[in-house]
DNA sequence: CTCCCTTGCGCC
DNA sequence: AAAGGGCGCAAGGGAG
């Protein structure tokens, strides 16, 4: 696919929405509940000469919203697009597709193909965000596009009231919607035309997944709130137990929740040694750290510090991952949570999930309002990897959760990108990279470790060290940091000397990796951007001798690995989409290297084989022009809930 | 009281 | 000199 081509092949569309509360306008899952609805639908075809609009206002004071009438209008659009084989174009079209789903048009939605101007813009220009302040982030909104490219139209959205039902206001809204269509058309065409061919391919693969994400966002996830209550109570008991043994030492909830107060207690009152300080990048102010790693180190010598760590953890987990689930299901009113997948939410192309929407609520003083966060979902990407926590998310009745995860994803892409012969060999069938690294570290025989890793303690520990090394050292981690991670996250005792040995052994074993680091940095400095195997790009420009140089170098190294992982995931989703539709399965959520599906119970056995076959044989050559030198395989797990996933074995599955 | 910034921390 | 990367969310603390 090259230039934009015949304008007649595209159709833009846009919904305006409202609700019984303003905030419901952005929550399409409330449409079936009657709490949200479309107020204006417009679609546009441009024939190269002039704009041809269709659509209409869907409610005002005189003509209240009629679900069936609105549905018929949307159906007309989707049917025409399907029959004429048009590409449907939107701006953040994932949202507008959710509205279509709200009108019960799923079959027609999936009969069509989509393109998204916002997505194309991101593919054209994305930069890493070294500035943590979200206010300074690049906006990719349609309004921002208009401000930048058509400044004479900037501010066309002011004066528009989405919730005023007077016929005059609705007429203005509808006219505004027409403008949105025109700008969407101009923006999408512009960004499509300026993309390089390989960027277009990456964008198209991603665009194919848009309806899958829209459906997942719309449907939400079912929460077993009884489990949530049990978990919440358990965490309350855990916290109380910890506090009981700590309160004689002056610990309170208020102190533990405050880093400043906790530092005073730990270091001034208890007189513990200060192992680490934090320094603000902005003000340069230092503070004595009370983070988890510090508490872990202190806890090796002092039981109280260990207790503080456990106490704080229980408090945090309860709020964020147990109570938040119940709160969200209550807010949504459908016993579901709707964490919203944001396609291309990161500069590396990986997804993010939003758990809340911005809204306003009553202020403390009468007649005032304040900004609040509406709990539409939960922090899916951060959910604790523990059965009790993940078990809260269950499959719908009649369905099974299936997980497919790309085996050793980052290790394999690093092997490919670095071309390191040892790494590549370790990705071949029958090899075990962690045993190999463990053998190198311990000075033992590789096959002895592999064969005895289950029974022999020495072999087991060696492999464990090898695993930490393989997982931690791919991206320039120091020996010191390795030790902290091993001790505080993997619970592996490690001296400074041992950490240095592992650090040294890693670079000695995979000599191609440090070479890749250097080459990648040099290349990026030269051309000013980094590229993935799927053709995705990120701009890296700035002062290579300045304070951001370490970050810029890291982007150069890291992006081809993480970004290619993202490409792989989108390609995987696009390739399994037709099969999922065939068997009545659907995409549920994503976790970077894992794809989670809801599959009808009686189709699980077949799907385990068929989907794995598709995924193990993805068309990298056709899609990216790249032939992997090693197998890129996927593992399959199944279960009744996220927390209940087990490795799938065809023999057991058949019983 | 509200808003903004920082710290800490969950995941891959 | 030393430095894994990518995120979003909860909570405290201080400015206004």
């Amino acid at each position: 696919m090259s230039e934009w081509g015949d304008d007649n092949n595209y159709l833009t569309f846009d919904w305006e929405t409202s609700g019984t509360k303003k905030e419901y306008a952005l929550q399409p899952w409330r449409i079936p509940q009657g709490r949200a609805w479309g107020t204006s639908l417009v679609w546009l075809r441009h024939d190269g000469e002039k704009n041809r609009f269709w659509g209409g206002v869907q409610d005002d004071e005189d003509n209240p919203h009629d679900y069936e009438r609105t549905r018929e209008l949307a159906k007309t659009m989707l049917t025409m697009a399907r029959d004429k084989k048009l590409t449907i174009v939107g701006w953040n079209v994932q949202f507008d597709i959710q509205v279509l789903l709200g009108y019960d048009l799923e079959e027609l939605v999936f009969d069509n193909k989509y393109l998204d101007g916002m997505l194309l813009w991101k593919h054209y220009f994305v930069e890493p965000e070294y500035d943590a302040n979200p206010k300074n982030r690049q906006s990719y909104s349609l309004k921002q596009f208009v401000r930048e490219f058509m400044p004479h139209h900037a501010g066309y959205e002011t004066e528009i009231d989405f919730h005023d039902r007077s016929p005059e206001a609705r007429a203005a809204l509808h006219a505004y919607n027409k403008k949105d269509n025109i700008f969407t058309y101009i923006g999408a065409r512009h960004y499509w035309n300026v993309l390089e061919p390989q960027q277009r391919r990456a964008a198209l693969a991603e665009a194919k997944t848009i309806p899958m994400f829209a459906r997942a966002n719309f449907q939400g996830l079912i929460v077993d709130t009884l489990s949530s209550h049990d978990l919440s109570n358990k965490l309350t008991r855990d916290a109380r137990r910890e506090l009981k043994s700590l309160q004689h030492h002056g610990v309170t909830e208020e102190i533990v929740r405050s880093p400043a107060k906790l530092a005073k207690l730990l270091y001034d009152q208890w007189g513990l040694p200060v192992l680490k300080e934090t320094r603000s990048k902005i003000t340069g102010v230092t503070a004595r750290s009370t983070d988890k790693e510090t508490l872990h180190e202190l806890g090796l010598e002092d039981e109280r510090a260990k207790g503080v760590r456990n106490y704080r953890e229980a408090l945090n987990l309860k709020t964020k991952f147990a109570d938040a689930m119940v709160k969200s299901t209550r807010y949504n009113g459908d016993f579901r949570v709707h964490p919203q997948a944001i396609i291309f939410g990161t500069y590396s192309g990986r997804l993010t999930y939003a758990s809340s929407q911005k809204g306003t609520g009553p202020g403390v003083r009468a007649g005032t309002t304040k900004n609040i966060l509406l709990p539409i979902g939960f922090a899916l990407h951060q959910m604790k990897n523990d059965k009790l926590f993940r078990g809260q998310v269950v499959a719908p009745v009649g369905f099974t959760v299936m997980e497919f995860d790309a085996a050793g994803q980052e290790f394999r892409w690093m092997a490919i990108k670095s071309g390191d012969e040892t790494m590549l060999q370790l990705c071949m069938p029958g090899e075990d990279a962690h045993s190999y690294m463990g053998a190198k570290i311990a000075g033992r025989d590789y096959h002895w470790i592999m064969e005895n890793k289950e029974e022999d303690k020495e072999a087991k520990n060696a492999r464990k060290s090898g695993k930490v090394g393989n997982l931690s050292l791919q991206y320039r981690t120091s020996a010191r940091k390795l030790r902290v991670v091993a001790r505080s996250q993997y619970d592996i005792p490690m001296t400074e000397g041992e950490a240095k040995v592992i650090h040294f052994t890693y670079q000695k074993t995979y000599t191609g990796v440090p070479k890749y680091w250097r080459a990648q940095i040099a290349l990026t400095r030269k051309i000013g951007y980094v590229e993935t195997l799927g053709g995705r790009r990120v701009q890296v420009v700035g002062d290579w001798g300045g304070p951001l140089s370490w970050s810029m170098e890291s982007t150069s190294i890291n992006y081809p690995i993480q970004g290619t992982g993202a490409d792989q995931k989108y390609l995987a989703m696009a390739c399994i989409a037709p099969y999922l539709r065939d068997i009545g399965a659907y995409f549920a959520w994503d976790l970077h290297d894992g794809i989670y599906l809801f599959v009808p119970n009686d189709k699980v056995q077949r799907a385990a084989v068929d989907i794995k076959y598709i995924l193990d044989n993805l068309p990298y050559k056709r899609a990216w022009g790249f032939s992997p030198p090693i197998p890129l395989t996927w593992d399959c797990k199944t279960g009744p809930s996220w927390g209940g996933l087990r490795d799938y074995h065809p023999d057991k599955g058949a019983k």
Side-chain angles (χ1 to χ4, degrees), chain A residues 496-513:
Chain A
E496 276 182 48
E498 287 165 342
K500 278 183 184 162
V501 168
I502 297 175
H503 190 258
F504 175 80
T505 307
Y506 181 91
Q507 301 201 7
K508 184 101 176 157
T509 304
Y510 307 132
T511 52
V513 173

Side-chain angles (χ1 to χ4, degrees), chain A residues 359-370:
Chain A
T360 52
V364 172
R365 280 189 296 263
T368 63
T369 60
K370 64 171 177 176

Side-chain angles (χ1 to χ4, degrees), chain A residues 239 253 256-257 310-319:
Chain A
E253 180 172 336
V256 163
R257 286 192 188 276
N310 293 338
Y311 180 38
R312 185 171 62 188
E313 188 179 30
L315 291 174
N316 289 345
L317 293 177
K318 174 173 146 64
T319 309

Side-chain angles (χ1 to χ4, degrees), chain A residues 218-249:
Chain A
F218 174 78
Q219 283 293 329
L221 298 166
I222 300 171
V223 176
D224 174 7
T225 48
L226 288 178
S227 297
S228 303
H229 287 296
D230 285 348
L231 179 58
S232 180
N233 291 336
K234 177 198 175 296
L235 292 166
T236 302
R237 289 194 301 272
D238 289 350
R240 204 174 286 152
R241 194 180 57 241
E242 296 292 344
L243 180 60
K244 207 170 170 185
S245 53
L246 288 168
Q247 57 193 1
H248 315 293
H249 301 288

